[in-house]
Amino acid sequence: MSSYAADGEPVGKKTKTSGGGVLDPALFGDARCAALRRTYEAATPFPHVVVENLGLEAPMERARLEAIGELKADYKETDLFKVYQVPQDLGTIERTAPELAAKAPALLRLRDALYSAETKRLVERVTGCGPIGDAVDCSANVYARGGHLLCHDDVIGDRLVSYVLYLTEPEGWSADDGGSFEFYALGADGEPEAAPCARVAPAWNSLMLFRVEPSASFHSVQEVYGDKPRLTISGWYHARDGRDGAASRASLAELTRPAAPRTFARFAGDDDGDDDALSDADLDALRAWVSPVYLDPATWPKLKDHFAESSAAQLGGFACGRASRRALAAAGAVADAADGFDGRGPQPDDAAGVGGGWALSSLAAAQAAPPRARWALAPTARPRRCWRACAPTRRARAFRRLVRELVGVRPVGQDVAARRFRPGCDYTVAHGATGCDEPRLDLTFCFLSHADPAAFDADVWACGDYGGFETYVEADGGGDRADVYEGDAGEGRDDGGDLLSVEAAHNTLSVVLHDPGTLRFVKYLSVEAPGSRWDLEMVCELHPDDHPDPDAGDDESEDE
């Protein structure tokens, strides 16, 4: 009497394959396949399996050395990732870069083994994914210190199964090195939880394997903490006959979800949207927390001219008094010290900082964004005294009038959120719902933690190496994702679709005219950042008469 496995294959029949002289032949035996299938099906939060000792040591080591010695990787950074990518697709490298392909025969034999008929059949049996097609889709990536890839589900087109082959150093990789593969469970709302529920370290010669499922296979790559390079060959097995259209469009629909209408509240005491000038009473109220230079009428014309020309301004040293530079830095440092954020890594517990009036939040209500688009801490109770002292909502009418004097446009409604971005934890992403359907004025008051306010080094943040900066980008042709950008994070950078990057600067009010068709994000804050980024974000509705003329500049461009 014959015995059959769950996939219909006869038990005990060993597949006749050598693994291409690269992969371990024992991998293809029925017993090993069945064990992998059981592990895969039992895994949570979604089915996956780690295939250990995938390849034979000698050919795998040759492939690793060729990747290190022959392939050249380009630095790439977006809102979602920071990585070195080999520009040549390994699936087409013989055609696109034949000279390079000739120098990496062991690497190409590994590629061929991964996409051999025997290996694809093994993947089908382990994952139950259905027929895999002939497409070869893989690339080499290196995550250096600070490299990361944020939460996503991999759903694009007819991708069927994702894999990551780790070619990290054979000597071993510990949790202190970071770079783990992270898994996300789904919450009650069907969206991924803010923090990962499990992590797997990138062990040498192991293969992570899982089916690509829309709104299910959420994962990320933890920031790399040390100096060991996290070298991988990653890619996808594609469906032979294509995927269900609904499945292939699911993530795209999520990314292009239009911005939900914001709820703008009138400024307290200013319901009529008056155009009165700042009164003596207004100035008296503002002097309690705004630096005198910004209350000096002689300063206003220069600031207005600058804003009219660039549509953005950073007002440094904005707050004084109880909301001064030192008071805010020290208050943030106390919280960081209590929560274990000391700028030296490794990453503290994902729940560090939650509580005491703060909750991990997607800010969906305040930011009009789908939950998985934005992660930060937001207060659930009244913030501390020094925070309240600088809150413009406490002197709303006076603050609104001051903004008009500083930049020459009139905010008439406000949507306010307080946020904390913790090192190694928090970020926002460029997303269809971070756009707007008409011009807005973004006012962001930022302050940064520092254990010794007297020794605060602004250059550490200005360099952009640790993230925490806010970037405005043009939406791509589909109106959704940000283009890749490269280089330093600083105002005036002009790479790809990057329109403006505003560095994280202490005690600074950033004012940006946010045009329709523009997305924004706060870059993931590295575990090595000196402390948390704290901000009070106020998105303002503009008076209709102050909307920019969309046709401005057309005549000039036509004459060129």
Side-chain angles (χ1 to χ4, degrees):
M1 181 176 178
S2 298
S3 177
Y4 291 84
D7 62 359
E9 285 292 306
V11 173
K13 180 180 178 182
K14 186 171 181 178
T15 305
K16 295 180 180 180
T17 178
S18 64
V22 178
L23 305 185
D24 183 358
L27 178 68
F28 300 91
D30 287 334
R32 183 81 182 276
C33 178
L36 291 173
R37 175 70 177 263
R38 288 192 298 270
T39 302
Y40 177 86
E41 292 177 336
T44 60
F46 55 83
H48 65 272
V49 67
V50 177
V51 183
E52 299 176 344
N53 300 314
L54 176 78
L56 302 173
E57 283 290 326
M60 294 295 285
E61 177 63 9
R62 285 194 293 270
R64 187 181 80 89
L65 293 176
E66 286 181 358
I68 294 172
E70 303 298 341
L71 302 183
K72 307 302 178 186
D74 296 334
Y75 176 74
K76 298 291 183 180
E77 185 174 11
T78 71
D79 55 329
L80 279 178
F81 59 76
K82 182 177 182 179
V83 65
Y84 286 87
Q85 294 180 334
V86 175
Q88 292 83 14
D89 186 327
L90 294 183
T92 59
I93 193 170
E94 291 97 336
R95 185 178 73 252
T96 60
E99 294 182 0
L100 180 58
K103 298 177 181 179
L107 189 62
L108 296 189
R109 282 195 293 272
L110 172 57
R111 177 206 63 186
D112 292 343
L114 290 172
Y115 285 90
S116 69
E118 294 87 354
T119 302
K120 288 191 291 185
R121 178 59 181 138
L122 175 68
V123 172
E124 291 170 355
R125 295 179 64 189
V126 170
T127 67
C129 64
I132 294 173
D134 295 331
V136 177
D137 184 2
C138 59
S139 62
N141 302 280
V142 179
Y143 291 83
R145 190 184 194 104
H148 57 269
L149 173 61
L150 303 180
C151 183
H152 63 292
D153 65 7
D154 264 9
V155 176
I156 295 178
D158 59 1
R159 290 177 178 175
L160 193 59
V161 174
S162 290
Y163 70 86
V164 183
L165 172 57
Y166 297 110
L167 297 180
T168 50
E169 295 181 6
E171 289 74 15
W173 192 285
S174 72
D176 289 344
D177 295 319
S180 290
F181 189 99
E182 301 179 311
F183 299 87
Y184 292 80
L186 297 182
D189 59 358
E191 299 289 345
E193 299 284 357
C197 62
R199 294 186 173 99
V200 174
W204 155 251
N205 192 15
S206 65
L207 181 80
M208 171 66 70
L209 197 67
F210 61 94
R211 286 183 61 175
V212 175
E213 297 289 355
S215 299
S217 53
F218 289 106
H219 60 282
S220 61
V221 175
Q222 183 186 35
E223 179 181 354
V224 173
Y225 301 147
D227 294 324
K228 295 179 182 178
R230 184 187 187 273
L231 173 62
T232 67
I233 303 296
S234 60
W236 297 271
Y237 295 105
H238 290 254
R240 186 183 65 191
D241 303 317
R243 293 205 67 173
D244 183 337
S248 63
R249 293 191 300 269
S251 284
L252 179 60
E254 188 68 18
L255 287 171
T256 57
R257 183 190 301 181
R262 284 184 177 269
T263 300
F264 292 99
R266 290 292 180 180
F267 288 83
D270 197 25
D271 293 337
D272 57 355
D274 66 84
D275 291 328
D276 292 343
L278 279 166
S279 65
D280 289 341
D282 291 334
L283 291 171
D284 286 342
L286 292 168
R287 287 190 186 100
W289 71 283
V290 177
S291 295
V293 65
Y294 297 113
L295 302 179
D296 183 355
T299 304
W300 299 343
K302 294 180 181 179
L303 289 175
K304 285 180 182 176
D305 290 344
H306 174 79
F307 189 80
E309 180 179 351
S310 64
S311 299
Q314 278 191 283
L315 310 182
F318 189 77
C320 66
R322 288 207 313 269
S324 68
R325 168 191 177 102
R326 293 197 176 193
L328 291 171
V334 170
D336 279 349
D339 298 332
F341 297 108
D342 56 11
R344 293 189 293 271
Q347 178 178 322
D349 186 271
D350 293 302
V354 178
W358 291 83
L360 193 60
S361 172
S362 65
L363 305 183
Q367 306 293 350
R372 78 164 175 265
R374 311 174 71 91
W375 298 117
L377 284 183
T380 58
R382 190 164 57 179
R384 295 179 181 272
R385 186 177 182 184
C386 69
W387 180 274
R388 298 200 309 273
C390 66
T393 52
R394 289 173 57 82
R395 301 165 180 86
R397 181 172 63 180
F399 181 72
R400 188 194 78 82
R401 291 174 174 175
L402 177 62
V403 170
R404 184 192 61 208
E405 297 294 352
L406 294 175
V407 297
V409 296
R410 291 166 288 178
V412 295
Q414 57 176 322
D415 186 4
V416 183
R419 307 181 296 184
R420 176 188 182 186
F421 294 85
R422 303 162 298 162
C425 296
D426 300 320
Y427 59 92
T428 72
V429 301
H431 190 289
T434 68
C436 54
D437 54 5
E438 61 182 48
R440 306 292 190 206
L441 190 68
D442 293 340
L443 302 166
T444 306
F445 178 71
C446 175
F447 72 93
L448 307 168
S449 301
H450 199 286
D452 182 4
F456 186 87
D457 186 357
D459 291 340
V460 171
W461 290 91
C463 70
D465 291 345
Y466 302 129
F469 52 86
E470 185 159 34
T471 296
Y472 289 75
V473 294
E474 287 183 311
D476 64 17
D480 51 282
R481 297 290 309 152
D483 290 337
V484 173
Y485 63 84
E486 305 174 59
D488 296 330
E491 187 170 356
R493 191 179 64 203
D494 185 21
D495 301 309
D498 186 0
L499 300 175
L500 173 71
S501 279
V502 183
E503 68 187 47
H506 184 59
N507 191 16
T508 296
L509 178 69
S510 300
V511 188
V512 177
L513 186 62
H514 188 171
D515 292 326
T518 302
L519 311 179
R520 62 191 293 224
F521 64 91
V522 174
K523 179 63 183 175
Y524 165 83
L525 189 59
S526 169
V527 73
E528 295 188 273
S532 294
R533 169 193 165 120
W534 309 74
D535 67 37
L536 187 68
E537 181 201 43
M538 177 183 288
V539 178
C540 294
E541 188 178 28
L542 290 178
H543 191 288
D545 292 344
D546 292 342
H547 287 195
D549 181 359
D551 298 324
D554 285 357
D555 293 340
E556 179 180 349
S557 62
E558 290 174 359
D559 293 338
E560 293 178 352

